[in-house]
Amino acid sequence: MYLGPTDTDMARGVLFERNDPADVVRSALDGTEVIADPKSAQAKANLSLDPATVHAPAAATA
């Protein structure tokens, strides 16, 4: 299961969009692999990339 910040007490104060917990549960019950939000989908897609490609933009600004 991949999910970004979800609207729970733990994510209180997070300043970007959070998943609805009910949506996450529905997704979990609907399938064996859950990608609950676009940020998580991107993170999963990045797993198959060359790490130098994924981290190059961050390294260039350091």
Side-chain angles (χ1 to χ4, degrees):
M1 176 179 272
Y2 297 89
L3 69 139
T6 301
D7 194 12
T8 63
D9 289 344
M10 187 172 162
R12 186 181 305 130
V14 173
L15 300 178
F16 43 86
E17 187 175 344
R18 294 174 299 222
N19 298 315
D20 182 328
D23 291 339
V24 174
V25 171
R26 268 192 290 282
S27 294
L29 295 174
D30 285 344
T32 57
E33 179 178 56
V34 176
I35 301 173
D37 56 78
K39 289 182 195 251
S40 298
Q42 185 61 55
K44 183 176 186 285
N46 288 349
L47 293 175
S48 63
L49 299 175
D50 176 0
T53 302
V54 175
H55 299 291
T61 60

mmCIF file of all heavy atoms in Angstrom:
data_model
loop_
_atom_site.group_PDB
_atom_site.id
_atom_site.type_symbol
_atom_site.label_atom_id
_atom_site.label_comp_id
_atom_site.label_asym_id
_atom_site.label_seq_id
_atom_site.Cartn_x
_atom_site.Cartn_y
_atom_site.Cartn_z
ATOM 1 N N MET A 1 0.841 -1.159 0.000
ATOM 2 C CA MET A 1 0.000 0.000 0.000
ATOM 3 C C MET A 1 0.895 1.233 0.000
ATOM 4 O O MET A 1 1.836 1.332 0.767
ATOM 5 C CB MET A 1 -0.906 0.002 1.230
ATOM 6 C CG MET A 1 -1.738 1.242 1.342
ATOM 7 S SD MET A 1 -2.840 1.283 2.753
ATOM 8 C CE MET A 1 -4.245 0.497 2.050
ATOM 9 N N TYR A 2 0.594 2.122 -0.896
ATOM 10 C CA TYR A 2 1.298 3.399 -0.982
ATOM 11 C C TYR A 2 0.284 4.498 -0.716
ATOM 12 O O TYR A 2 -0.747 4.542 -1.358
ATOM 13 C CB TYR A 2 1.873 3.608 -2.391
ATOM 14 C CG TYR A 2 2.897 2.599 -2.799
ATOM 15 C CD1 TYR A 2 2.522 1.420 -3.419
ATOM 16 C CD2 TYR A 2 4.243 2.829 -2.560
ATOM 17 C CE1 TYR A 2 3.470 0.487 -3.796
ATOM 18 C CE2 TYR A 2 5.190 1.908 -2.929
ATOM 19 C CZ TYR A 2 4.791 0.736 -3.546
ATOM 20 O OH TYR A 2 5.731 -0.170 -3.918
ATOM 21 N N LEU A 3 0.572 5.359 0.229
ATOM 22 C CA LEU A 3 -0.307 6.500 0.419
ATOM 23 C C LEU A 3 0.463 7.664 1.002
ATOM 24 O O LEU A 3 1.418 7.490 1.737
ATOM 25 C CB LEU A 3 -1.510 6.155 1.296
ATOM 26 C CG LEU A 3 -1.242 5.870 2.762
ATOM 27 C CD1 LEU A 3 -2.313 6.506 3.604
ATOM 28 C CD2 LEU A 3 -1.243 4.369 2.987
ATOM 29 N N GLY A 4 0.028 8.813 0.604
ATOM 30 C CA GLY A 4 0.612 10.038 1.125
ATOM 31 C C GLY A 4 -0.112 10.442 2.396
ATOM 32 O O GLY A 4 -0.821 9.641 3.012
ATOM 33 N N PRO A 5 0.022 11.696 2.773
ATOM 34 C CA PRO A 5 -0.629 12.152 3.990
ATOM 35 C C PRO A 5 -2.135 11.894 3.948
ATOM 36 O O PRO A 5 -2.799 12.153 2.951
ATOM 37 C CB PRO A 5 -0.348 13.655 4.013
ATOM 38 C CG PRO A 5 0.871 13.813 3.177
ATOM 39 C CD PRO A 5 0.781 12.751 2.126
ATOM 40 N N THR A 6 -2.634 11.361 5.028
ATOM 41 C CA THR A 6 -4.053 11.045 5.146
ATOM 42 C C THR A 6 -4.611 11.864 6.295
ATOM 43 O O THR A 6 -3.927 12.115 7.283
ATOM 44 C CB THR A 6 -4.235 9.539 5.374
ATOM 45 O OG1 THR A 6 -3.643 8.852 4.257
ATOM 46 C CG2 THR A 6 -5.690 9.140 5.450
ATOM 47 N N ASP A 7 -5.838 12.284 6.158
ATOM 48 C CA ASP A 7 -6.449 13.182 7.128
ATOM 49 C C ASP A 7 -6.716 12.459 8.450
ATOM 50 O O ASP A 7 -7.813 11.975 8.712
ATOM 51 C CB ASP A 7 -7.737 13.765 6.561
ATOM 52 C CG ASP A 7 -8.244 14.953 7.346
ATOM 53 O OD1 ASP A 7 -7.489 15.477 8.184
ATOM 54 O OD2 ASP A 7 -9.392 15.349 7.113
ATOM 55 N N THR A 8 -5.674 12.361 9.258
ATOM 56 C CA THR A 8 -5.747 11.747 10.576
ATOM 57 C C THR A 8 -5.084 12.697 11.574
ATOM 58 O O THR A 8 -4.482 13.694 11.187
ATOM 59 C CB THR A 8 -4.996 10.396 10.609
ATOM 60 O OG1 THR A 8 -3.610 10.649 10.356
ATOM 61 C CG2 THR A 8 -5.549 9.415 9.586
ATOM 62 N N ASP A 9 -5.164 12.366 12.843
ATOM 63 C CA ASP A 9 -4.502 13.197 13.858
ATOM 64 C C ASP A 9 -3.009 13.308 13.591
ATOM 65 O O ASP A 9 -2.402 14.349 13.843
ATOM 66 C CB ASP A 9 -4.722 12.615 15.255
ATOM 67 C CG ASP A 9 -6.155 12.785 15.733
ATOM 68 O OD1 ASP A 9 -6.894 13.604 15.151
ATOM 69 O OD2 ASP A 9 -6.539 12.084 16.686
ATOM 70 N N MET A 10 -2.418 12.241 13.066
ATOM 71 C CA MET A 10 -0.978 12.235 12.818
ATOM 72 C C MET A 10 -0.576 13.275 11.761
ATOM 73 O O MET A 10 0.514 13.824 11.808
ATOM 74 C CB MET A 10 -0.542 10.837 12.378
ATOM 75 C CG MET A 10 0.924 10.665 12.249
ATOM 76 S SD MET A 10 1.250 8.912 11.970
ATOM 77 C CE MET A 10 2.872 8.988 11.319
ATOM 78 N N ALA A 11 -1.471 13.546 10.812
ATOM 79 C CA ALA A 11 -1.163 14.482 9.731
ATOM 80 C C ALA A 11 -1.710 15.884 10.009
ATOM 81 O O ALA A 11 -1.664 16.746 9.125
ATOM 82 C CB ALA A 11 -1.711 13.956 8.414
ATOM 83 N N ARG A 12 -2.209 16.103 11.203
ATOM 84 C CA ARG A 12 -2.728 17.430 11.538
ATOM 85 C C ARG A 12 -1.606 18.448 11.375
ATOM 86 O O ARG A 12 -0.479 18.227 11.781
ATOM 87 C CB ARG A 12 -3.230 17.457 12.974
ATOM 88 C CG ARG A 12 -3.923 18.779 13.314
ATOM 89 C CD ARG A 12 -4.421 18.839 14.738
ATOM 90 N NE ARG A 12 -5.298 17.720 15.039
ATOM 91 C CZ ARG A 12 -5.169 16.936 16.116
ATOM 92 N NH1 ARG A 12 -4.201 17.149 16.986
ATOM 93 N NH2 ARG A 12 -5.999 15.946 16.324
ATOM 94 N N GLY A 13 -1.902 19.537 10.729
ATOM 95 C CA GLY A 13 -0.903 20.577 10.523
ATOM 96 C C GLY A 13 -0.138 20.451 9.221
ATOM 97 O O GLY A 13 0.612 21.342 8.866
ATOM 98 N N VAL A 14 -0.310 19.345 8.500
ATOM 99 C CA VAL A 14 0.342 19.192 7.198
ATOM 100 C C VAL A 14 -0.292 20.217 6.258
ATOM 101 O O VAL A 14 -1.516 20.329 6.174
ATOM 102 C CB VAL A 14 0.160 17.751 6.657
ATOM 103 C CG1 VAL A 14 0.677 17.637 5.239
ATOM 104 C CG2 VAL A 14 0.869 16.769 7.563
ATOM 105 N N LEU A 15 0.537 20.953 5.550
ATOM 106 C CA LEU A 15 0.041 22.084 4.782
ATOM 107 C C LEU A 15 -0.325 21.762 3.337
ATOM 108 O O LEU A 15 -0.540 22.673 2.551
ATOM 109 C CB LEU A 15 1.085 23.211 4.804
ATOM 110 C CG LEU A 15 1.413 23.733 6.204
ATOM 111 C CD1 LEU A 15 2.487 24.807 6.124
ATOM 112 C CD2 LEU A 15 0.168 24.254 6.895
ATOM 113 N N PHE A 16 -0.389 20.495 2.974
ATOM 114 C CA PHE A 16 -0.825 20.168 1.633
ATOM 115 C C PHE A 16 -1.968 19.172 1.695
ATOM 116 O O PHE A 16 -2.327 18.700 2.763
ATOM 117 C CB PHE A 16 0.305 19.673 0.730
ATOM 118 C CG PHE A 16 1.252 18.703 1.363
ATOM 119 C CD1 PHE A 16 0.983 17.345 1.366
ATOM 120 C CD2 PHE A 16 2.417 19.152 1.968
ATOM 121 C CE1 PHE A 16 1.847 16.452 1.939
ATOM 122 C CE2 PHE A 16 3.285 18.255 2.557
ATOM 123 C CZ PHE A 16 3.003 16.913 2.545
ATOM 124 N N GLU A 17 -2.551 18.900 0.539
ATOM 125 C CA GLU A 17 -3.748 18.066 0.461
ATOM 126 C C GLU A 17 -3.536 16.705 1.115
ATOM 127 O O GLU A 17 -2.493 16.086 0.945
ATOM 128 C CB GLU A 17 -4.133 17.889 -1.005
ATOM 129 C CG GLU A 17 -5.430 17.184 -1.212
ATOM 130 C CD GLU A 17 -5.847 17.126 -2.669
ATOM 131 O OE1 GLU A 17 -5.294 17.885 -3.482
ATOM 132 O OE2 GLU A 17 -6.713 16.311 -2.977
ATOM 133 N N ARG A 18 -4.541 16.256 1.848
ATOM 134 C CA ARG A 18 -4.483 14.954 2.512
ATOM 135 C C ARG A 18 -5.584 14.060 1.973
ATOM 136 O O ARG A 18 -6.648 14.529 1.573
ATOM 137 C CB ARG A 18 -4.655 15.129 4.023
ATOM 138 C CG ARG A 18 -3.501 15.892 4.653
ATOM 139 C CD ARG A 18 -3.771 16.158 6.096
ATOM 140 N NE ARG A 18 -4.971 16.980 6.198
ATOM 141 C CZ ARG A 18 -5.100 17.990 7.015
ATOM 142 N NH1 ARG A 18 -4.146 18.304 7.833
ATOM 143 N NH2 ARG A 18 -6.208 18.692 7.048
ATOM 144 N N ASN A 19 -5.314 12.761 1.991
ATOM 145 C CA ASN A 19 -6.309 11.774 1.568
ATOM 146 C C ASN A 19 -7.433 11.678 2.587
ATOM 147 O O ASN A 19 -7.209 11.829 3.784
ATOM 148 C CB ASN A 19 -5.671 10.383 1.473
ATOM 149 C CG ASN A 19 -4.572 10.318 0.466
ATOM 150 O OD1 ASN A 19 -4.711 10.821 -0.628
ATOM 151 N ND2 ASN A 19 -3.467 9.709 0.839
ATOM 152 N N ASP A 20 -8.623 11.368 2.112
ATOM 153 C CA ASP A 20 -9.743 11.056 2.989
ATOM 154 C C ASP A 20 -9.547 9.615 3.470
ATOM 155 O O ASP A 20 -9.388 8.711 2.654
ATOM 156 C CB ASP A 20 -11.043 11.183 2.209
ATOM 157 C CG ASP A 20 -12.280 10.916 3.039
ATOM 158 O OD1 ASP A 20 -12.226 10.085 3.972
ATOM 159 O OD2 ASP A 20 -13.318 11.525 2.736
ATOM 160 N N PRO A 21 -9.541 9.360 4.772
ATOM 161 C CA PRO A 21 -9.318 8.001 5.277
ATOM 162 C C PRO A 21 -10.311 6.984 4.698
ATOM 163 O O PRO A 21 -9.943 5.843 4.427
ATOM 164 C CB PRO A 21 -9.489 8.124 6.791
ATOM 165 C CG PRO A 21 -9.258 9.555 7.093
ATOM 166 C CD PRO A 21 -9.689 10.319 5.865
ATOM 167 N N ALA A 22 -11.555 7.401 4.483
ATOM 168 C CA ALA A 22 -12.548 6.481 3.922
ATOM 169 C C ALA A 22 -12.159 6.048 2.510
ATOM 170 O O ALA A 22 -12.346 4.882 2.136
ATOM 171 C CB ALA A 22 -13.929 7.134 3.921
ATOM 172 N N ASP A 23 -11.596 6.966 1.720
ATOM 173 C CA ASP A 23 -11.144 6.616 0.368
ATOM 174 C C ASP A 23 -9.996 5.611 0.416
ATOM 175 O O ASP A 23 -9.928 4.693 -0.397
ATOM 176 C CB ASP A 23 -10.702 7.861 -0.399
ATOM 177 C CG ASP A 23 -11.859 8.783 -0.733
ATOM 178 O OD1 ASP A 23 -13.020 8.327 -0.740
ATOM 179 O OD2 ASP A 23 -11.585 9.982 -0.987
ATOM 180 N N VAL A 24 -9.089 5.795 1.365
ATOM 181 C CA VAL A 24 -7.962 4.868 1.502
ATOM 182 C C VAL A 24 -8.470 3.472 1.852
ATOM 183 O O VAL A 24 -8.046 2.473 1.269
ATOM 184 C CB VAL A 24 -6.955 5.369 2.558
ATOM 185 C CG1 VAL A 24 -5.865 4.333 2.811
ATOM 186 C CG2 VAL A 24 -6.344 6.694 2.118
ATOM 187 N N VAL A 25 -9.412 3.390 2.783
ATOM 188 C CA VAL A 25 -9.965 2.086 3.172
ATOM 189 C C VAL A 25 -10.679 1.437 2.000
ATOM 190 O O VAL A 25 -10.503 0.246 1.736
ATOM 191 C CB VAL A 25 -10.906 2.236 4.388
ATOM 192 C CG1 VAL A 25 -11.658 0.946 4.660
ATOM 193 C CG2 VAL A 25 -10.112 2.658 5.610
ATOM 194 N N ARG A 26 -11.476 2.222 1.265
ATOM 195 C CA ARG A 26 -12.165 1.657 0.093
ATOM 196 C C ARG A 26 -11.167 1.098 -0.905
ATOM 197 O O ARG A 26 -11.336 0.006 -1.440
ATOM 198 C CB ARG A 26 -13.030 2.724 -0.581
ATOM 199 C CG ARG A 26 -14.447 2.771 -0.095
ATOM 200 C CD ARG A 26 -15.327 3.641 -0.993
ATOM 201 N NE ARG A 26 -15.007 5.059 -0.888
ATOM 202 C CZ ARG A 26 -15.384 5.841 0.113
ATOM 203 N NH1 ARG A 26 -16.068 5.350 1.115
ATOM 204 N NH2 ARG A 26 -15.063 7.119 0.114
ATOM 205 N N SER A 27 -10.093 1.833 -1.167
ATOM 206 C CA SER A 27 -9.067 1.368 -2.104
ATOM 207 C C SER A 27 -8.410 0.096 -1.600
ATOM 208 O O SER A 27 -8.151 -0.831 -2.366
ATOM 209 C CB SER A 27 -8.001 2.445 -2.300
ATOM 210 O OG SER A 27 -8.534 3.570 -2.926
ATOM 211 N N ALA A 28 -8.148 0.040 -0.306
ATOM 212 C CA ALA A 28 -7.510 -1.145 0.270
ATOM 213 C C ALA A 28 -8.404 -2.369 0.133
ATOM 214 O O ALA A 28 -7.927 -3.477 -0.142
ATOM 215 C CB ALA A 28 -7.178 -0.905 1.742
ATOM 216 N N LEU A 29 -9.693 -2.187 0.300
ATOM 217 C CA LEU A 29 -10.614 -3.316 0.206
ATOM 218 C C LEU A 29 -10.888 -3.734 -1.232
ATOM 219 O O LEU A 29 -11.320 -4.857 -1.476
ATOM 220 C CB LEU A 29 -11.931 -2.981 0.917
ATOM 221 C CG LEU A 29 -11.809 -2.780 2.431
ATOM 222 C CD1 LEU A 29 -13.132 -2.319 3.007
ATOM 223 C CD2 LEU A 29 -11.326 -4.045 3.113
ATOM 224 N N ASP A 30 -10.625 -2.847 -2.183
ATOM 225 C CA ASP A 30 -10.885 -3.136 -3.591
ATOM 226 C C ASP A 30 -9.752 -3.876 -4.295
ATOM 227 O O ASP A 30 -9.960 -4.443 -5.355
ATOM 228 C CB ASP A 30 -11.143 -1.840 -4.370
ATOM 229 C CG ASP A 30 -12.514 -1.265 -4.089
ATOM 230 O OD1 ASP A 30 -13.369 -1.997 -3.558
ATOM 231 O OD2 ASP A 30 -12.718 -0.072 -4.395
ATOM 232 N N GLY A 31 -8.548 -3.891 -3.761
ATOM 233 C CA GLY A 31 -7.448 -4.498 -4.493
ATOM 234 C C GLY A 31 -6.315 -4.939 -3.600
ATOM 235 O O GLY A 31 -6.306 -4.691 -2.404
ATOM 236 N N THR A 32 -5.351 -5.613 -4.222
ATOM 237 C CA THR A 32 -4.207 -6.098 -3.459
ATOM 238 C C THR A 32 -3.087 -5.073 -3.398
ATOM 239 O O THR A 32 -2.318 -5.057 -2.464
ATOM 240 C CB THR A 32 -3.657 -7.399 -4.061
ATOM 241 O OG1 THR A 32 -3.327 -7.157 -5.422
ATOM 242 C CG2 THR A 32 -4.676 -8.505 -3.963
ATOM 243 N N GLU A 33 -2.998 -4.201 -4.404
ATOM 244 C CA GLU A 33 -2.012 -3.130 -4.373
ATOM 245 C C GLU A 33 -2.767 -1.814 -4.377
ATOM 246 O O GLU A 33 -3.615 -1.588 -5.230
ATOM 247 C CB GLU A 33 -1.079 -3.175 -5.582
ATOM 248 C CG GLU A 33 -0.069 -2.053 -5.560
ATOM 249 C CD GLU A 33 0.897 -2.115 -6.717
ATOM 250 O OE1 GLU A 33 0.451 -2.138 -7.867
ATOM 251 O OE2 GLU A 33 2.099 -2.135 -6.452
ATOM 252 N N VAL A 34 -2.484 -0.989 -3.431
ATOM 253 C CA VAL A 34 -3.213 0.269 -3.309
ATOM 254 C C VAL A 34 -2.250 1.424 -3.501
ATOM 255 O O VAL A 34 -1.218 1.497 -2.850
ATOM 256 C CB VAL A 34 -3.881 0.374 -1.915
ATOM 257 C CG1 VAL A 34 -4.560 1.715 -1.756
ATOM 258 C CG2 VAL A 34 -4.864 -0.764 -1.726
ATOM 259 N N ILE A 35 -2.604 2.284 -4.422
ATOM 260 C CA ILE A 35 -1.889 3.542 -4.611
ATOM 261 C C ILE A 35 -2.950 4.610 -4.394
ATOM 262 O O ILE A 35 -3.794 4.850 -5.246
ATOM 263 C CB ILE A 35 -1.251 3.625 -6.006
ATOM 264 C CG1 ILE A 35 -0.289 2.460 -6.173
ATOM 265 C CG2 ILE A 35 -0.552 4.953 -6.186
ATOM 266 C CD1 ILE A 35 0.294 2.312 -7.534
ATOM 267 N N ALA A 36 -2.931 5.205 -3.218
ATOM 268 C CA ALA A 36 -4.058 5.999 -2.754
ATOM 269 C C ALA A 36 -4.109 7.425 -3.285
ATOM 270 O O ALA A 36 -5.136 8.067 -3.172
ATOM 271 C CB ALA A 36 -4.075 6.017 -1.227
ATOM 272 N N ASP A 37 -3.022 7.929 -3.852
ATOM 273 C CA ASP A 37 -3.036 9.319 -4.284
ATOM 274 C C ASP A 37 -1.958 9.546 -5.336
ATOM 275 O O ASP A 37 -1.077 8.710 -5.518
ATOM 276 C CB ASP A 37 -2.830 10.256 -3.090
ATOM 277 C CG ASP A 37 -1.557 9.939 -2.336
ATOM 278 O OD1 ASP A 37 -0.480 10.337 -2.823
ATOM 279 O OD2 ASP A 37 -1.632 9.288 -1.296
ATOM 280 N N PRO A 38 -2.022 10.661 -6.067
ATOM 281 C CA PRO A 38 -1.050 10.930 -7.140
ATOM 282 C C PRO A 38 0.403 10.985 -6.661
ATOM 283 O O PRO A 38 1.303 10.531 -7.364
ATOM 284 C CB PRO A 38 -1.494 12.278 -7.699
ATOM 285 C CG PRO A 38 -2.945 12.374 -7.369
ATOM 286 C CD PRO A 38 -3.098 11.663 -6.048
ATOM 287 N N LYS A 39 0.659 11.540 -5.483
ATOM 288 C CA LYS A 39 2.043 11.601 -4.991
ATOM 289 C C LYS A 39 2.599 10.198 -4.768
ATOM 290 O O LYS A 39 3.759 9.920 -5.051
ATOM 291 C CB LYS A 39 2.114 12.402 -3.698
ATOM 292 C CG LYS A 39 1.904 13.872 -3.897
ATOM 293 C CD LYS A 39 2.027 14.608 -2.581
ATOM 294 C CE LYS A 39 1.467 15.973 -2.699
ATOM 295 N NZ LYS A 39 2.241 17.074 -2.707
ATOM 296 N N SER A 40 1.765 9.312 -4.267
ATOM 297 C CA SER A 40 2.195 7.929 -4.054
ATOM 298 C C SER A 40 2.419 7.212 -5.381
ATOM 299 O O SER A 40 3.342 6.421 -5.510
ATOM 300 C CB SER A 40 1.160 7.175 -3.222
ATOM 301 O OG SER A 40 1.032 7.777 -1.959
ATOM 302 N N ALA A 41 1.574 7.498 -6.361
ATOM 303 C CA ALA A 41 1.756 6.903 -7.686
ATOM 304 C C ALA A 41 3.101 7.333 -8.271
ATOM 305 O O ALA A 41 3.826 6.517 -8.854
ATOM 306 C CB ALA A 41 0.611 7.305 -8.611
ATOM 307 N N GLN A 42 3.455 8.607 -8.107
ATOM 308 C CA GLN A 42 4.742 9.093 -8.606
ATOM 309 C C GLN A 42 5.891 8.448 -7.853
ATOM 310 O O GLN A 42 6.895 8.057 -8.445
ATOM 311 C CB GLN A 42 4.826 10.615 -8.496
ATOM 312 C CG GLN A 42 6.085 11.180 -9.104
ATOM 313 C CD GLN A 42 6.193 10.889 -10.584
ATOM 314 O OE1 GLN A 42 5.282 11.211 -11.337
ATOM 315 N NE2 GLN A 42 7.269 10.270 -11.016
ATOM 316 N N ALA A 43 5.758 8.316 -6.536
ATOM 317 C CA ALA A 43 6.818 7.679 -5.744
ATOM 318 C C ALA A 43 7.024 6.237 -6.195
ATOM 319 O O ALA A 43 8.160 5.792 -6.346
ATOM 320 C CB ALA A 43 6.470 7.724 -4.263
ATOM 321 N N LYS A 44 5.941 5.516 -6.440
ATOM 322 C CA LYS A 44 6.067 4.124 -6.899
ATOM 323 C C LYS A 44 6.710 4.083 -8.280
ATOM 324 O O LYS A 44 7.586 3.257 -8.535
ATOM 325 C CB LYS A 44 4.714 3.430 -6.936
ATOM 326 C CG LYS A 44 4.854 1.970 -7.343
ATOM 327 C CD LYS A 44 3.536 1.258 -7.297
ATOM 328 C CE LYS A 44 3.720 -0.214 -7.570
ATOM 329 N NZ LYS A 44 3.964 -0.547 -8.945
ATOM 330 N N ALA A 45 6.310 4.975 -9.167
ATOM 331 C CA ALA A 45 6.900 5.015 -10.511
ATOM 332 C C ALA A 45 8.395 5.304 -10.437
ATOM 333 O O ALA A 45 9.192 4.757 -11.204
ATOM 334 C CB ALA A 45 6.191 6.065 -11.365
ATOM 335 N N ASN A 46 8.801 6.135 -9.493
ATOM 336 C CA ASN A 46 10.216 6.483 -9.349
ATOM 337 C C ASN A 46 11.070 5.301 -8.894
ATOM 338 O O ASN A 46 12.286 5.315 -9.106
ATOM 339 C CB ASN A 46 10.385 7.638 -8.366
ATOM 340 C CG ASN A 46 9.916 8.956 -8.932
ATOM 341 O OD1 ASN A 46 9.635 9.079 -10.123
ATOM 342 N ND2 ASN A 46 9.801 9.946 -8.079
ATOM 343 N N LEU A 47 10.461 4.291 -8.292
ATOM 344 C CA LEU A 47 11.232 3.138 -7.821
ATOM 345 C C LEU A 47 11.938 2.408 -8.958
ATOM 346 O O LEU A 47 12.976 1.789 -8.743
ATOM 347 C CB LEU A 47 10.324 2.158 -7.070
ATOM 348 C CG LEU A 47 9.755 2.661 -5.745
ATOM 349 C CD1 LEU A 47 8.778 1.639 -5.175
ATOM 350 C CD2 LEU A 47 10.875 2.949 -4.751
ATOM 351 N N SER A 48 11.381 2.482 -10.164
ATOM 352 C CA SER A 48 11.984 1.774 -11.290
ATOM 353 C C SER A 48 13.001 2.632 -12.053
ATOM 354 O O SER A 48 13.617 2.166 -13.004
ATOM 355 C CB SER A 48 10.899 1.287 -12.249
ATOM 356 O OG SER A 48 10.209 2.390 -12.797
ATOM 357 N N LEU A 49 13.176 3.876 -11.637
ATOM 358 C CA LEU A 49 14.098 4.779 -12.317
ATOM 359 C C LEU A 49 15.498 4.703 -11.723
ATOM 360 O O LEU A 49 15.694 4.271 -10.596
ATOM 361 C CB LEU A 49 13.587 6.219 -12.212
ATOM 362 C CG LEU A 49 12.236 6.508 -12.844
ATOM 363 C CD1 LEU A 49 11.828 7.948 -12.553
ATOM 364 C CD2 LEU A 49 12.255 6.249 -14.336
ATOM 365 N N ASP A 50 16.447 5.177 -12.489
ATOM 366 C CA ASP A 50 17.818 5.316 -12.015
ATOM 367 C C ASP A 50 17.829 6.361 -10.893
ATOM 368 O O ASP A 50 17.347 7.478 -11.095
ATOM 369 C CB ASP A 50 18.702 5.763 -13.182
ATOM 370 C CG ASP A 50 20.147 6.027 -12.802
ATOM 371 O OD1 ASP A 50 20.517 5.873 -11.613
ATOM 372 O OD2 ASP A 50 20.918 6.381 -13.705
ATOM 373 N N PRO A 51 18.338 6.021 -9.715
ATOM 374 C CA PRO A 51 18.332 6.982 -8.609
ATOM 375 C C PRO A 51 18.978 8.324 -8.960
ATOM 376 O O PRO A 51 18.541 9.368 -8.476
ATOM 377 C CB PRO A 51 19.121 6.271 -7.507
ATOM 378 C CG PRO A 51 18.955 4.823 -7.807
ATOM 379 C CD PRO A 51 18.896 4.735 -9.309
ATOM 380 N N ALA A 52 19.974 8.315 -9.819
ATOM 381 C CA ALA A 52 20.617 9.573 -10.211
ATOM 382 C C ALA A 52 19.631 10.475 -10.953
ATOM 383 O O ALA A 52 19.685 11.697 -10.828
ATOM 384 C CB ALA A 52 21.836 9.292 -11.085
ATOM 385 N N THR A 53 18.715 9.878 -11.685
ATOM 386 C CA THR A 53 17.697 10.649 -12.406
ATOM 387 C C THR A 53 16.695 11.230 -11.437
ATOM 388 O O THR A 53 16.312 12.399 -11.542
ATOM 389 C CB THR A 53 16.968 9.743 -13.430
ATOM 390 O OG1 THR A 53 17.925 9.201 -14.318
ATOM 391 C CG2 THR A 53 15.923 10.511 -14.192
ATOM 392 N N VAL A 54 16.269 10.426 -10.485
ATOM 393 C CA VAL A 54 15.238 10.870 -9.550
ATOM 394 C C VAL A 54 15.777 11.955 -8.632
ATOM 395 O O VAL A 54 15.102 12.937 -8.339
ATOM 396 C CB VAL A 54 14.734 9.672 -8.699
ATOM 397 C CG1 VAL A 54 13.755 10.133 -7.629
ATOM 398 C CG2 VAL A 54 14.089 8.626 -9.592
ATOM 399 N N HIS A 55 17.012 11.817 -8.179
ATOM 400 C CA HIS A 55 17.565 12.743 -7.211
ATOM 401 C C HIS A 55 18.389 13.873 -7.821
ATOM 402 O O HIS A 55 18.833 14.753 -7.108
ATOM 403 C CB HIS A 55 18.411 11.978 -6.186
ATOM 404 C CG HIS A 55 17.599 10.981 -5.426
ATOM 405 N ND1 HIS A 55 16.644 11.359 -4.519
ATOM 406 C CD2 HIS A 55 17.593 9.630 -5.447
ATOM 407 C CE1 HIS A 55 16.069 10.281 -4.006
ATOM 408 N NE2 HIS A 55 16.620 9.236 -4.559
ATOM 409 N N ALA A 56 18.581 13.859 -9.122
ATOM 410 C CA ALA A 56 19.408 14.878 -9.774
ATOM 411 C C ALA A 56 18.874 16.296 -9.555
ATOM 412 O O ALA A 56 19.663 17.192 -9.243
ATOM 413 C CB ALA A 56 19.541 14.577 -11.260
ATOM 414 N N PRO A 57 17.575 16.548 -9.683
ATOM 415 C CA PRO A 57 17.106 17.926 -9.479
ATOM 416 C C PRO A 57 17.403 18.438 -8.061
ATOM 417 O O PRO A 57 17.807 19.569 -7.887
ATOM 418 C CB PRO A 57 15.603 17.834 -9.723
ATOM 419 C CG PRO A 57 15.451 16.656 -10.615
ATOM 420 C CD PRO A 57 16.535 15.682 -10.153
ATOM 421 N N ALA A 58 17.229 17.597 -7.056
ATOM 422 C CA ALA A 58 17.494 18.004 -5.684
ATOM 423 C C ALA A 58 18.983 18.253 -5.474
ATOM 424 O O ALA A 58 19.383 19.207 -4.811
ATOM 425 C CB ALA A 58 16.983 16.952 -4.708
ATOM 426 N N ALA A 59 19.802 17.419 -6.061
ATOM 427 C CA ALA A 59 21.252 17.564 -5.924
ATOM 428 C C ALA A 59 21.732 18.840 -6.614
ATOM 429 O O ALA A 59 22.654 19.504 -6.143
ATOM 430 C CB ALA A 59 21.956 16.349 -6.496
ATOM 431 N N ALA A 60 21.092 19.206 -7.712
ATOM 432 C CA ALA A 60 21.513 20.389 -8.466
ATOM 433 C C ALA A 60 21.224 21.671 -7.699
ATOM 434 O O ALA A 60 21.902 22.670 -7.901
ATOM 435 C CB ALA A 60 20.796 20.412 -9.814
ATOM 436 N N THR A 61 20.240 21.659 -6.802
ATOM 437 C CA THR A 61 19.898 22.866 -6.073
ATOM 438 C C THR A 61 20.617 22.956 -4.733
ATOM 439 O O THR A 61 20.510 23.956 -4.054
ATOM 440 C CB THR A 61 18.387 22.957 -5.828
ATOM 441 O OG1 THR A 61 17.969 21.830 -5.063
ATOM 442 C CG2 THR A 61 17.617 23.012 -7.134
ATOM 443 N N ALA A 62 21.334 21.901 -4.360
ATOM 444 C CA ALA A 62 21.998 21.904 -3.048
ATOM 445 C C ALA A 62 23.235 22.766 -3.044
ATOM 446 O O ALA A 62 23.808 23.119 -4.007
ATOM 447 C CB ALA A 62 22.373 20.472 -2.663
#
